[in-house]
Amino acid sequence: MDKNIIVTCQLLERYAAGEKNFCKADLRATHLYRANLKSVKLMFSNLAGIQLSYGHLEAANLCCATLEETQLAFANLQDADLWGANLEGADLTGADLSRGKITCANLKNAILNGTNLKDADLRGANLSGASLKGACLKGASLGGAIVEKAVFQDILGLSEPTKFELCQLGAIVEYSSDSRTVFCVGRPN
């Protein structure tokens, strides 16, 4: 048995005892619904398919972690470091990622509906095919992000020129122009 494989009760017991560093841990398909793991260090860990909805992961370090198909709906990830993390297909509905470092992360086909991304750093992130309906992006940095076929609808905090620019980059964007709602689908011909 791989020494990095940790079961739910072991993780929670060790965390409660003060341990916070679980670098390279294998937690695939673990159930941690509503878990309190503030400031936990899970760099390079495998959390694919994990259930972390309503979890408390404020200031967690998840750099280069595998979080494919992970359930993070309504989780608190304020100030979390997700640099280079793989969140492909993850459900982050209603999650709080404000002030998060999400640079170079893979969020392809992720569900970010109603997610708080206020002041988040998404530079270089892959958002292709992601759904960001009703998300808050006020103060977020999107420079160099891949947004092809990402859906930006009812977004809070993005200027009209930024929405138009996202459209030019291949996103599906709803934006207002002269008191009417405009949908821009993908790159114009």
Side-chain angles (χ1 to χ4, degrees):
M1 185 165 149
D2 188 337
K3 68 177 182 137
N4 290 329
I5 294 176
I6 300 173
V7 293
T8 305
C9 60
Q10 289 175 331
L11 174 72
L12 295 175
E13 286 172 5
R14 288 166 57 185
Y15 182 85
E19 186 176 348
K20 300 225 179 184
N21 190 352
F22 299 96
C23 184
K24 297 182 181 179
D26 188 342
L27 294 163
R28 282 176 288 184
T30 303
H31 185 81
L32 290 166
Y33 180 79
R34 293 190 183 269
N36 181 357
L37 297 169
K38 293 177 186 172
S39 302
V40 70
K41 292 177 171 63
L42 288 162
M43 300 85 67
F44 301 98
S45 293
N46 187 347
L47 299 125
I50 195 168
Q51 170 55 268
L52 264 166
S53 294
Y54 295 94
H56 295 274
L57 294 139
E58 297 95 318
N61 188 335
L62 296 156
C63 285
C64 299
T66 300
L67 294 145
E68 290 174 292
E69 304 295 327
T70 298
Q71 296 297 313
L72 287 157
F74 303 100
N76 187 341
L77 290 146
Q78 289 178 351
D79 301 302
D81 190 346
L82 290 152
W83 181 90
N86 184 358
L87 291 137
E88 185 170 346
D91 183 355
L92 293 140
T93 300
D96 188 349
L97 289 153
S98 56
R99 298 178 309 278
K101 182 178 179 184
I102 314 167
T103 47
C104 302
N106 179 11
L107 290 152
K108 185 177 182 181
N109 299 318
I111 302 167
L112 296 153
N113 298 335
T115 299
N116 182 359
L117 292 158
K118 184 179 179 196
D119 298 320
D121 188 350
L122 290 152
R123 289 176 296 160
N126 182 354
L127 293 162
S128 59
S131 179
L132 292 104
K133 295 175 183 174
C136 176
L137 288 160
K138 185 177 181 182
S141 301
L142 290 162
I146 301 166
V147 296
E148 188 134 9
K149 296 184 181 173
V151 177
F152 292 84
Q153 185 177 354
D154 299 322
I155 298 296
L156 304 172
L158 284 185
S159 67
E160 298 307 311
T162 300
K163 291 176 187 178
F164 184 75
E165 182 181 339
L166 289 170
C167 184
Q168 297 298 309
L169 294 170
I172 300 165
V173 182
E174 175 190 329
Y175 65 97
S176 297
S177 175
D178 300 326
S179 302
R180 60 183 184 183
T181 300
V182 177
F183 277 97
C184 177
V185 180
R187 290 189 172 107
N189 293 332

